[in-house]
Amino acid sequence: MPEKMCKRKHLTSFQLIILGFAGVILLGSILLMLPVSSLDKVPTPFHEALFTATSAVCVTGLVVKDSGSYWSVFGQTVILALIQIGGLGVVTVAAAVSLLSGKKISLMQRSTMQDAISAPKVGGIVRLTRFILKGTLLIEAAGAMLLLPVFLMDYGLKGIWMAAFHSVSAFCNAGFDILGTADNAFPSLTGYSGNALINVVIMLLIITGGIGFLTWDDIYRNKINFKRYRMQSKIILMTTVCLIIFPAVFFFVCDLKNLPVGERLLAAMFQSVTTRTAGFNTIDISAMSEASKAVMILLMLIGGSPGSTAGGMKTTTFTVLILNAIATFRSQENAGAFGRRLEYHVIKNAATIAMLYFTLFFCGGVAISVYEDLPLLDCLYEAASAVGTVGLTLGVTPGLHVFSQVVLIILMYLGRVGGLTLIYAVFSGRNKGNAKLPLEKITVG
């Protein structure tokens, strides 16, 4: 009789990524539920711990409990660890542990790492991972050292922890702060709106974390020789500059008119940078005009760049759609940039990503508005903040009921793992077509 051959079914790299994120979130939730995690030494309800853990791992920054006045040092340490894991990516952290322990990285692990950091090829993935880990440590340490003088002056020795926490949170585009007190909860960086050092350092950390690890590699290898950069890096850098300058000009002209010119310029620039996935704020967001809130919603949905610590549908997805629209207006058969043509499947994937994010954003906002009986714009703002993994809020999130919190948890998770990653994980038996997607790597974060 012929023997039946049973094939062992392996998880695809995309399935490993989404399950890895889910596993870390669950572990973080359990740790945050412990009495030792709160200042008052009381257990935290599961849904609140789950919300915080999801927000930290998905580097969002939306919270239902003020991080500074509710969580103990242990709880804040757990949150910081979750932020670091979520920022670098679960797979990258797991690879780092393997490298430090001296274990050999298998081909399957290399393939998973490739998908996790949106690398164009498997070759050189271990070198790139080492580069990412060393670069992250160096940048976060430099950020903490620059923030240290201000926090030492304001908080004494506690300022060391403050500087380290906010440096990691900013670099990972998480937006968590621990500056709140019982009398002043959820302050973010509003107390430092006029402090140029804090503003500039936080902005630089956000931008550095949000442009993507492959862009770092290009800058490190090719220095200022822009022509030698990958097409992806060129698109990322050009788009990032535009998405910082134009919104900053808009905010400066149309809003913030009650501030002195210097502080107004600083606030406009900071809000432009932070809105695309960082979640810190130096001004009262709820006091901004409706037009500015609408612009911020668009920026939150766009998010950062692929293979970075940021979320959102990605700058490259946005740019591919713009380039395709321009080609259509000009009656050109193919869209392109920097002398290179964009493949059809790249445009198709970009359109799919955009549709997924806009659908999640709209449905989530409407669901919260209907359930909570709140103004739709406010709820759409919170939904965009969640799915873009930003963390900015109009003050709505802390007062939401469990149902609405669950909606935001789902949006944060899907926004971080990426729409196409989830689709491939659910519907793909194997990782198909990645070799053909040089720009798909800029749409799947």
Side-chain angles (χ1 to χ4, degrees), residues 305-377:
S305 301
S308 73
T309 62
M313 67 182 185
K314 302 296 184 285
T315 53
T316 41
T317 300
F318 174 72
T319 302
V320 166
L321 294 176
I322 294 294
L323 292 172
N324 186 54
I326 292 172
T328 302
F329 296 151
R330 292 179 174 177
S331 299
Q332 295 175 342
E333 185 177 351
N334 298 305
F338 301 104
R340 291 181 60 185
R341 179 172 61 89
L342 295 177
E343 298 291 338
Y344 168 72
H345 57 258
V346 172
I347 299 171
K348 183 176 71 172
N349 287 332
T352 303
I353 285 285
M355 183 205 71
L356 283 171
Y357 274 87
F358 277 106
T359 301
L360 288 169
F361 145 73
F362 184 75
C363 293
V366 170
I368 294 172
S369 178
V370 170
Y371 187 84
E372 302 285 346
D373 194 23
L374 291 170
L376 180 59
L377 179 61

Side-chain angles (χ1 to χ4, degrees), residues 51-98:
F51 190 98
T52 305
T54 304
S55 184
V57 174
C58 298
V59 288
T60 305
L62 287 175
V63 292
V64 290
K65 295 291 187 183
D66 177 63
S67 303
S69 60
Y70 180 82
W71 301 108
S72 65
V73 173
F74 177 81
Q76 292 173 2
T77 303
V78 171
I79 290 172
L80 190 64
L82 295 176
I83 289 171
Q84 189 72 87
I85 293 170
L88 287 174
V90 176
V91 176
T92 306
V93 173
V97 173
S98 296

Side-chain angles (χ1 to χ4, degrees), residues 47 236 299 441:
H47 67 277
I236 286 171
L299 291 174
K441 289 302 178 185

